[in-house]
Amino acid sequence: MEIVVLRLGHRIARDKRITTHICLVARALGANKIIISGEKDQSILNTVIKVNNNWGEGIDIEYRKRWKEVINEYKKKQFCLIHLTMYGEKIQNTIQEIRKKENILIIVGGEKVPSEIYKEAEFNIGVTNQPHSEVAALAIFLDKYFDSTELEVNFKDAKLMIKPDLFGKKIIHVS
Ligand code: SAM
C-alpha cells in the first residue's frame, strides 16, 4: 500500500506556511510521500528532511514542477487518483470504496484548481461541502482512510520522542 499526496500550485510568497503544514500532516497521519508542484521552495523540503531526522523516518518528499507529469506517471502506475474538493461527493459515502484501493494519489489544491484535475480524478471527494482548508481536508481524509489506526504508529529511527503527559512537556532523547 502506498499513499502519495500531491500539492498543486505552491507559491513561495503566499503558501509557505500552509504547504509546510500539508507536509507535516501528511507525514504525521500516515502518507508515504509528498510531491510539491508549482514553485520550487527548497526551505520546505529542508524542513521536512529535518523533521524526519529528529522525529523519525516518516515521509519522502519530492518537488516536481509540472503536476501533469506527476498525474500521468501515477496513472501509469495504476494509482487511484483522489481529488479533495468542496464540490466532491461526501467522504462518508465513499471512504469504504476508497479503502479497497491499494495505492492512492491524494490531490490537494491551492487557490485555483485546473478543471482537468476534476476529470482526471477517479474520485472528487468533499470533506463537507463547505469551503475550508487543504490541511484540514487532508487530515480528515487520512484519518478516515486509516480508520484512526495511524494515530498509534511509531516512527522509525527517531532521535526525539514525546512521552505523552497530561500536565506538560516530556521529551525523550534517544541515543
Ligand atoms: N474552491 C476550492 C475547492 O475546490 O475546494 C477551495 C479552495 S481551498 C482555498 C484550497 C484547497 O482546499 C482545495 O483545492 C481543496 O483541496 C481543499 N478543500 C477546501 N475545502 C474543502 C472541502 N470542503 N473538502 C475537500 N477539500 C477541500
Side-chain angles (χ1 to χ4, degrees), residues 83-87 107-111 113 118 125-134 137:
H83 170 219
L84 300 183
T85 166
M86 63 188 280
Y87 303 104
I107 304 162
V108 295
E111 202 170 60
V113 174
Y118 291 81
I125 298 297
V127 180
T128 78
N129 296 111
Q130 300 295 322
H132 51 81
S133 139
E134 46 272 56

PDB file of all heavy atoms in Angstrom, residues 83-87 107-111 113 118 125-134 137, ligand 1:
ATOM      1  N   HIS A  83      -9.153  13.481  -5.626  1.00  0.00           N
ATOM      2  CA  HIS A  83      -9.006  14.932  -5.534  1.00  0.00           C
ATOM      3  C   HIS A  83      -9.909  15.445  -4.421  1.00  0.00           C
ATOM      4  O   HIS A  83     -11.125  15.211  -4.440  1.00  0.00           O
ATOM      5  CB  HIS A  83      -9.393  15.555  -6.896  1.00  0.00           C
ATOM      6  CG  HIS A  83      -9.511  17.037  -6.865  1.00  0.00           C
ATOM      7  ND1 HIS A  83     -10.488  17.729  -7.542  1.00  0.00           N
ATOM      8  CD2 HIS A  83      -8.760  17.978  -6.240  1.00  0.00           C
ATOM      9  CE1 HIS A  83     -10.336  19.022  -7.332  1.00  0.00           C
ATOM     10  NE2 HIS A  83      -9.302  19.201  -6.548  1.00  0.00           N
ATOM     11  N   LEU A  84      -9.312  16.130  -3.456  1.00  0.00           N
ATOM     12  CA  LEU A  84     -10.108  16.693  -2.358  1.00  0.00           C
ATOM     13  C   LEU A  84     -10.619  18.070  -2.753  1.00  0.00           C
ATOM     14  O   LEU A  84      -9.832  18.968  -3.068  1.00  0.00           O
ATOM     15  CB  LEU A  84      -9.266  16.780  -1.075  1.00  0.00           C
ATOM     16  CG  LEU A  84      -8.727  15.451  -0.544  1.00  0.00           C
ATOM     17  CD1 LEU A  84      -7.960  15.662   0.766  1.00  0.00           C
ATOM     18  CD2 LEU A  84      -9.850  14.434  -0.321  1.00  0.00           C
ATOM     19  N   THR A  85     -11.923  18.205  -2.773  1.00  0.00           N
ATOM     20  CA  THR A  85     -12.557  19.464  -3.171  1.00  0.00           C
ATOM     21  C   THR A  85     -13.919  19.605  -2.502  1.00  0.00           C
ATOM     22  O   THR A  85     -14.642  18.607  -2.329  1.00  0.00           O
ATOM     23  CB  THR A  85     -12.750  19.535  -4.705  1.00  0.00           C
ATOM     24  OG1 THR A  85     -13.643  20.613  -5.000  1.00  0.00           O
ATOM     25  CG2 THR A  85     -13.293  18.262  -5.317  1.00  0.00           C
ATOM     26  N   MET A  86     -14.262  20.835  -2.157  1.00  0.00           N
ATOM     27  CA  MET A  86     -15.569  21.077  -1.526  1.00  0.00           C
ATOM     28  C   MET A  86     -16.738  20.685  -2.440  1.00  0.00           C
ATOM     29  O   MET A  86     -17.861  20.514  -1.987  1.00  0.00           O
ATOM     30  CB  MET A  86     -15.704  22.562  -1.141  1.00  0.00           C
ATOM     31  CG  MET A  86     -15.672  23.500  -2.321  1.00  0.00           C
ATOM     32  SD  MET A  86     -15.593  25.236  -1.863  1.00  0.00           S
ATOM     33  CE  MET A  86     -17.306  25.560  -1.477  1.00  0.00           C
ATOM     34  N   TYR A  87     -16.479  20.547  -3.752  1.00  0.00           N
ATOM     35  CA  TYR A  87     -17.547  20.201  -4.700  1.00  0.00           C
ATOM     36  C   TYR A  87     -17.759  18.691  -4.810  1.00  0.00           C
ATOM     37  O   TYR A  87     -18.676  18.233  -5.493  1.00  0.00           O
ATOM     38  CB  TYR A  87     -17.210  20.751  -6.098  1.00  0.00           C
ATOM     39  CG  TYR A  87     -16.989  22.242  -6.094  1.00  0.00           C
ATOM     40  CD1 TYR A  87     -15.699  22.772  -6.173  1.00  0.00           C
ATOM     41  CD2 TYR A  87     -18.056  23.123  -5.988  1.00  0.00           C
ATOM     42  CE1 TYR A  87     -15.488  24.143  -6.144  1.00  0.00           C
ATOM     43  CE2 TYR A  87     -17.848  24.498  -5.953  1.00  0.00           C
ATOM     44  CZ  TYR A  87     -16.557  24.997  -6.037  1.00  0.00           C
ATOM     45  OH  TYR A  87     -16.358  26.349  -5.994  1.00  0.00           O
ATOM     46  N   ILE A 107      -4.858  14.382  -4.187  1.00  0.00           N
ATOM     47  CA  ILE A 107      -4.503  15.687  -4.757  1.00  0.00           C
ATOM     48  C   ILE A 107      -5.181  16.788  -3.945  1.00  0.00           C
ATOM     49  O   ILE A 107      -6.405  16.759  -3.751  1.00  0.00           O
ATOM     50  CB  ILE A 107      -4.965  15.769  -6.228  1.00  0.00           C
ATOM     51  CG1 ILE A 107      -4.358  14.601  -7.020  1.00  0.00           C
ATOM     52  CG2 ILE A 107      -4.579  17.101  -6.854  1.00  0.00           C
ATOM     53  CD1 ILE A 107      -5.063  14.325  -8.347  1.00  0.00           C
ATOM     54  N   VAL A 108      -4.369  17.738  -3.453  1.00  0.00           N
ATOM     55  CA  VAL A 108      -4.955  18.890  -2.760  1.00  0.00           C
ATOM     56  C   VAL A 108      -4.582  20.162  -3.508  1.00  0.00           C
ATOM     57  O   VAL A 108      -3.471  20.288  -4.016  1.00  0.00           O
ATOM     58  CB  VAL A 108      -4.550  18.987  -1.266  1.00  0.00           C
ATOM     59  CG1 VAL A 108      -5.084  17.818  -0.476  1.00  0.00           C
ATOM     60  CG2 VAL A 108      -3.047  19.107  -1.093  1.00  0.00           C
ATOM     61  N   GLY A 109      -5.525  21.076  -3.571  1.00  0.00           N
ATOM     62  CA  GLY A 109      -5.340  22.261  -4.403  1.00  0.00           C
ATOM     63  C   GLY A 109      -4.862  23.460  -3.618  1.00  0.00           C
ATOM     64  O   GLY A 109      -4.563  23.387  -2.427  1.00  0.00           O
ATOM     65  N   GLY A 110      -4.805  24.556  -4.361  1.00  0.00           N
ATOM     66  CA  GLY A 110      -4.486  25.848  -3.752  1.00  0.00           C
ATOM     67  C   GLY A 110      -5.616  26.782  -4.130  1.00  0.00           C
ATOM     68  O   GLY A 110      -6.782  26.398  -4.053  1.00  0.00           O
ATOM     69  N   GLU A 111      -5.244  27.986  -4.582  1.00  0.00           N
ATOM     70  CA  GLU A 111      -6.282  28.981  -4.836  1.00  0.00           C
ATOM     71  C   GLU A 111      -7.217  28.551  -5.977  1.00  0.00           C
ATOM     72  O   GLU A 111      -8.431  28.570  -5.833  1.00  0.00           O
ATOM     73  CB  GLU A 111      -5.627  30.311  -5.172  1.00  0.00           C
ATOM     74  CG  GLU A 111      -6.575  31.463  -4.934  1.00  0.00           C
ATOM     75  CD  GLU A 111      -5.860  32.782  -5.036  1.00  0.00           C
ATOM     76  OE1 GLU A 111      -5.308  33.066  -6.121  1.00  0.00           O
ATOM     77  OE2 GLU A 111      -5.835  33.503  -4.032  1.00  0.00           O
ATOM     78  N   VAL A 113      -7.965  25.505  -8.831  1.00  0.00           N
ATOM     79  CA  VAL A 113      -7.616  24.161  -9.301  1.00  0.00           C
ATOM     80  C   VAL A 113      -8.027  24.031 -10.780  1.00  0.00           C
ATOM     81  O   VAL A 113      -9.181  24.299 -11.125  1.00  0.00           O
ATOM     82  CB  VAL A 113      -8.350  23.098  -8.440  1.00  0.00           C
ATOM     83  CG1 VAL A 113      -8.138  21.703  -8.985  1.00  0.00           C
ATOM     84  CG2 VAL A 113      -7.886  23.186  -6.986  1.00  0.00           C
ATOM     85  N   TYR A 118     -10.402  17.751 -12.066  1.00  0.00           N
ATOM     86  CA  TYR A 118     -11.703  17.149 -11.727  1.00  0.00           C
ATOM     87  C   TYR A 118     -11.990  15.956 -12.643  1.00  0.00           C
ATOM     88  O   TYR A 118     -12.622  14.997 -12.243  1.00  0.00           O
ATOM     89  CB  TYR A 118     -12.822  18.188 -11.865  1.00  0.00           C
ATOM     90  CG  TYR A 118     -12.766  19.274 -10.819  1.00  0.00           C
ATOM     91  CD1 TYR A 118     -11.899  20.355 -10.958  1.00  0.00           C
ATOM     92  CD2 TYR A 118     -13.562  19.210  -9.680  1.00  0.00           C
ATOM     93  CE1 TYR A 118     -11.832  21.352  -9.999  1.00  0.00           C
ATOM     94  CE2 TYR A 118     -13.511  20.206  -8.715  1.00  0.00           C
ATOM     95  CZ  TYR A 118     -12.633  21.271  -8.888  1.00  0.00           C
ATOM     96  OH  TYR A 118     -12.577  22.243  -7.926  1.00  0.00           O
ATOM     97  N   ILE A 125     -13.678  14.268  -3.916  1.00  0.00           N
ATOM     98  CA  ILE A 125     -14.223  13.996  -2.580  1.00  0.00           C
ATOM     99  C   ILE A 125     -14.304  15.271  -1.744  1.00  0.00           C
ATOM    100  O   ILE A 125     -13.313  16.005  -1.605  1.00  0.00           O
ATOM    101  CB  ILE A 125     -13.309  12.987  -1.830  1.00  0.00           C
ATOM    102  CG1 ILE A 125     -13.258  11.647  -2.569  1.00  0.00           C
ATOM    103  CG2 ILE A 125     -13.758  12.788  -0.385  1.00  0.00           C
ATOM    104  CD1 ILE A 125     -14.585  10.938  -2.646  1.00  0.00           C
ATOM    105  N   GLY A 126     -15.473  15.508  -1.169  1.00  0.00           N
ATOM    106  CA  GLY A 126     -15.666  16.644  -0.274  1.00  0.00           C
ATOM    107  C   GLY A 126     -15.632  16.205   1.178  1.00  0.00           C
ATOM    108  O   GLY A 126     -16.261  15.214   1.552  1.00  0.00           O
ATOM    109  N   VAL A 127     -14.870  16.955   1.949  1.00  0.00           N
ATOM    110  CA  VAL A 127     -14.851  16.737   3.405  1.00  0.00           C
ATOM    111  C   VAL A 127     -15.744  17.849   3.956  1.00  0.00           C
ATOM    112  O   VAL A 127     -15.274  18.946   4.266  1.00  0.00           O
ATOM    113  CB  VAL A 127     -13.412  16.833   3.956  1.00  0.00           C
ATOM    114  CG1 VAL A 127     -13.406  16.605   5.462  1.00  0.00           C
ATOM    115  CG2 VAL A 127     -12.505  15.808   3.254  1.00  0.00           C
ATOM    116  N   THR A 128     -17.016  17.578   3.994  1.00  0.00           N
ATOM    117  CA  THR A 128     -18.111  18.545   3.997  1.00  0.00           C
ATOM    118  C   THR A 128     -18.150  19.199   2.619  1.00  0.00           C
ATOM    119  O   THR A 128     -17.192  19.076   1.841  1.00  0.00           O
ATOM    120  CB  THR A 128     -18.036  19.658   5.082  1.00  0.00           C
ATOM    121  OG1 THR A 128     -17.098  20.654   4.673  1.00  0.00           O
ATOM    122  CG2 THR A 128     -17.690  19.101   6.454  1.00  0.00           C
ATOM    123  N   ASN A 129     -19.237  19.887   2.323  1.00  0.00           N
ATOM    124  CA  ASN A 129     -19.298  20.644   1.061  1.00  0.00           C
ATOM    125  C   ASN A 129     -19.253  22.137   1.364  1.00  0.00           C
ATOM    126  O   ASN A 129     -19.913  22.949   0.725  1.00  0.00           O
ATOM    127  CB  ASN A 129     -20.537  20.246   0.252  1.00  0.00           C
ATOM    128  CG  ASN A 129     -20.473  18.780  -0.172  1.00  0.00           C
ATOM    129  OD1 ASN A 129     -21.229  17.947   0.307  1.00  0.00           O
ATOM    130  ND2 ASN A 129     -19.550  18.461  -1.060  1.00  0.00           N
ATOM    131  N   GLN A 130     -18.430  22.459   2.337  1.00  0.00           N
ATOM    132  CA  GLN A 130     -18.195  23.863   2.713  1.00  0.00           C
ATOM    133  C   GLN A 130     -16.737  24.195   2.419  1.00  0.00           C
ATOM    134  O   GLN A 130     -15.875  23.324   2.532  1.00  0.00           O
ATOM    135  CB  GLN A 130     -18.443  24.055   4.222  1.00  0.00           C
ATOM    136  CG  GLN A 130     -19.839  23.712   4.681  1.00  0.00           C
ATOM    137  CD  GLN A 130     -20.888  24.634   4.081  1.00  0.00           C
ATOM    138  OE1 GLN A 130     -20.642  25.831   3.939  1.00  0.00           O
ATOM    139  NE2 GLN A 130     -22.017  24.068   3.705  1.00  0.00           N
ATOM    140  N   PRO A 131     -16.449  25.456   2.087  1.00  0.00           N
ATOM    141  CA  PRO A 131     -15.049  25.817   1.849  1.00  0.00           C
ATOM    142  C   PRO A 131     -14.279  25.845   3.157  1.00  0.00           C
ATOM    143  O   PRO A 131     -14.764  26.375   4.156  1.00  0.00           O
ATOM    144  CB  PRO A 131     -15.145  27.237   1.260  1.00  0.00           C
ATOM    145  CG  PRO A 131     -16.447  27.767   1.710  1.00  0.00           C
ATOM    146  CD  PRO A 131     -17.369  26.603   1.909  1.00  0.00           C
ATOM    147  N   HIS A 132     -13.100  25.200   3.188  1.00  0.00           N
ATOM    148  CA  HIS A 132     -12.221  25.377   4.350  1.00  0.00           C
ATOM    149  C   HIS A 132     -10.781  25.290   3.901  1.00  0.00           C
ATOM    150  O   HIS A 132     -10.327  26.165   3.136  1.00  0.00           O
ATOM    151  CB  HIS A 132     -12.591  24.443   5.520  1.00  0.00           C
ATOM    152  CG  HIS A 132     -12.742  22.996   5.218  1.00  0.00           C
ATOM    153  ND1 HIS A 132     -11.675  22.149   5.116  1.00  0.00           N
ATOM    154  CD2 HIS A 132     -13.852  22.224   5.005  1.00  0.00           C
ATOM    155  CE1 HIS A 132     -12.103  20.927   4.876  1.00  0.00           C
ATOM    156  NE2 HIS A 132     -13.434  20.935   4.798  1.00  0.00           N
ATOM    157  N   SER A 133     -10.051  24.257   4.305  1.00  0.00           N
ATOM    158  CA  SER A 133      -8.604  24.293   4.093  1.00  0.00           C
ATOM    159  C   SER A 133      -8.093  22.952   3.613  1.00  0.00           C
ATOM    160  O   SER A 133      -8.592  21.891   4.012  1.00  0.00           O
ATOM    161  CB  SER A 133      -7.955  24.667   5.429  1.00  0.00           C
ATOM    162  OG  SER A 133      -6.793  23.920   5.656  1.00  0.00           O
ATOM    163  N   GLU A 134      -7.047  22.993   2.776  1.00  0.00           N
ATOM    164  CA  GLU A 134      -6.438  21.757   2.282  1.00  0.00           C
ATOM    165  C   GLU A 134      -5.790  20.961   3.420  1.00  0.00           C
ATOM    166  O   GLU A 134      -5.732  19.732   3.363  1.00  0.00           O
ATOM    167  CB  GLU A 134      -5.430  22.032   1.159  1.00  0.00           C
ATOM    168  CG  GLU A 134      -4.443  23.156   1.366  1.00  0.00           C
ATOM    169  CD  GLU A 134      -4.958  24.520   0.919  1.00  0.00           C
ATOM    170  OE1 GLU A 134      -6.027  24.925   1.403  1.00  0.00           O
ATOM    171  OE2 GLU A 134      -4.275  25.197   0.141  1.00  0.00           O
ATOM    172  N   ALA A 137      -8.748  19.228   5.218  1.00  0.00           N
ATOM    173  CA  ALA A 137      -9.334  18.196   4.351  1.00  0.00           C
ATOM    174  C   ALA A 137      -8.419  16.971   4.312  1.00  0.00           C
ATOM    175  O   ALA A 137      -8.883  15.831   4.426  1.00  0.00           O
ATOM    176  CB  ALA A 137      -9.553  18.752   2.939  1.00  0.00           C
TER     177      ALA A 137
HETATM  178  N1  SAM B   1     -12.783  26.102  -4.384  1.00  0.00           N
HETATM  179  C1  SAM B   1     -11.872  25.228  -3.714  1.00  0.00           C
HETATM  180  C2  SAM B   1     -12.289  23.729  -3.700  1.00  0.00           C
HETATM  181  O1  SAM B   1     -12.423  23.210  -4.777  1.00  0.00           O
HETATM  182  O2  SAM B   1     -12.376  23.065  -2.654  1.00  0.00           O
HETATM  183  C3  SAM B   1     -11.483  25.803  -2.359  1.00  0.00           C
HETATM  184  C4  SAM B   1     -10.072  26.256  -2.421  1.00  0.00           C
HETATM  185  S1  SAM B   1      -9.277  25.934  -0.908  1.00  0.00           S
HETATM  186  C5  SAM B   1      -8.566  27.518  -0.606  1.00  0.00           C
HETATM  187  C6  SAM B   1      -7.830  25.016  -1.338  1.00  0.00           C
HETATM  188  C7  SAM B   1      -7.982  23.537  -1.287  1.00  0.00           C
HETATM  189  O3  SAM B   1      -8.506  23.114  -0.038  1.00  0.00           O
HETATM  190  C8  SAM B   1      -8.864  22.907  -2.309  1.00  0.00           C
HETATM  191  O4  SAM B   1      -8.253  22.806  -3.569  1.00  0.00           O
HETATM  192  C9  SAM B   1      -9.145  21.548  -1.686  1.00  0.00           C
HETATM  193  O5  SAM B   1      -8.118  20.619  -1.973  1.00  0.00           O
HETATM  194  C10 SAM B   1      -9.161  21.861  -0.198  1.00  0.00           C
HETATM  195  N2  SAM B   1     -10.528  21.985   0.338  1.00  0.00           N
HETATM  196  C11 SAM B   1     -11.115  23.102   0.803  1.00  0.00           C
HETATM  197  N3  SAM B   1     -12.346  22.827   1.253  1.00  0.00           N
HETATM  198  C12 SAM B   1     -12.553  21.502   1.083  1.00  0.00           C
HETATM  199  C13 SAM B   1     -13.621  20.608   1.360  1.00  0.00           C
HETATM  200  N4  SAM B   1     -14.755  21.011   1.925  1.00  0.00           N
HETATM  201  N5  SAM B   1     -13.459  19.310   1.062  1.00  0.00           N
HETATM  202  C14 SAM B   1     -12.319  18.849   0.497  1.00  0.00           C
HETATM  203  N6  SAM B   1     -11.268  19.658   0.215  1.00  0.00           N
HETATM  204  C15 SAM B   1     -11.377  20.953   0.499  1.00  0.00           C
END
